[in-house]
Amino acid sequence: MALPVNIQQLISGQIVEWERLDFKRGWNPEDVLHTICAFANDIHNWGGGYIVVGVEEENGIPVLPPIGVDLKRIDGIQKELVQICNMIQPVVNVLPEPVEYKGKMLVVIWVPGGELRPYKAPIHIGKEYQKQGKVYFVRRGSVTCIANQEEEQTLMRLCNKVPFDDRICQTASLDDFNHL
């Protein structure tokens, strides 16, 4: 399944980080974990978000050409991505796609707004993560942060209220559309 976004439009330099887009210079599992949790919580019903690994940003604007991700690391990143998504409660399913852009490999991670929100994630990962409590993460503009009390209450009110248009049908194809 291809990403439902054009990579050229996503990182052409004409767009800045915001509640649906986060650029990562390199692979940082803990940082990515928090952003995945925030995008899945989708507190403003934007439809989740995209994490682009391999693109540095300055003041929210992508720095081009991209830094890229070593081709030999991409499979390991995807495997580690499964592990960190399992740290989120309930588990979040994301759609990563390796993409070549301007001669560099990137990993674009699409995080749909979650149907089982609210989601919690550990503050830190590593051997001790299971012993610590988990917290809610949200996006405030271009920043991923721990939800405050008011945001937690909003997340609770949003439980099981995923807009119909944001729900994913994994079995749908273009042949399902009525072309009349």
Side-chain angles (χ1 to χ4, degrees):
M1 173 189 225
L3 292 172
V5 68
N6 179 305
I7 191 68
Q8 178 67 29
Q9 290 176 330
L10 194 62
I11 59 175
S12 66
Q14 302 300 313
I15 194 164
V16 297
E17 286 187 321
W18 65 301
E19 285 195 30
R20 295 198 65 202
L21 180 60
D22 197 17
F23 298 111
K24 304 288 187 197
R25 182 180 200 283
W27 176 247
N28 178 334
E30 190 170 281
D31 196 25
V32 170
L33 168 72
H34 299 159
T35 303
I36 288 171
C37 185
F39 283 158
N41 276 328
D42 195 17
I43 198 164
H44 295 116
N45 283 325
W46 286 108
Y50 298 90
I51 301 169
V52 183
V53 180
V55 176
E56 189 171 12
E57 60 85 18
E58 186 174 305
N59 298 319
I61 301 170
V63 176
L64 299 175
I67 293 168
V69 177
D70 183 5
L71 184 63
K72 295 176 184 174
R73 286 272 300 129
I74 292 177
D75 186 56
I77 288 171
Q78 291 182 91
K79 289 175 181 172
E80 198 169 351
L81 188 58
V82 171
Q83 292 174 348
I84 66 171
C85 286
N86 285 329
M87 294 178 187
I88 300 173
Q89 288 180 331
V91 174
V92 172
N93 292 309
V94 300
L95 299 163
E97 183 174 338
V99 175
E100 185 177 347
Y101 181 75
K102 296 198 177 206
K104 299 287 185 169
M105 290 304 296
L106 308 175
V107 177
V108 180
I109 305 165
W110 177 34
V111 185
E115 292 187 28
L116 301 173
R117 64 184 163 185
Y119 295 90
K120 283 185 169 184
I123 295 173
H124 301 290
I125 60 176
K127 294 179 182 178
E128 299 295 316
Y129 93 89
Q130 291 178 340
K131 295 179 183 175
Q132 61 183 301
K134 296 183 180 190
V135 296
Y136 300 106
F137 286 90
V138 294
R139 287 286 281 190
R140 290 188 204 134
S142 63
V143 180
T144 297
C145 47
I146 296 172
N148 61 35
Q149 187 175 9
E150 183 179 320
E151 290 164 330
E152 281 188 26
Q153 291 170 353
T154 300
L155 287 171
M156 293 302 155
R157 286 192 301 270
L158 290 172
C159 290
N160 297 320
K161 290 185 181 177
V162 176
F164 180 78
D165 290 350
D166 290 342
R167 296 179 191 164
I168 299 170
C169 180
Q170 301 288 351
T171 60
S173 72
L174 289 176
D175 295 331
D176 294 329
F177 285 103
N178 183 350
H179 300 285
L180 299 177

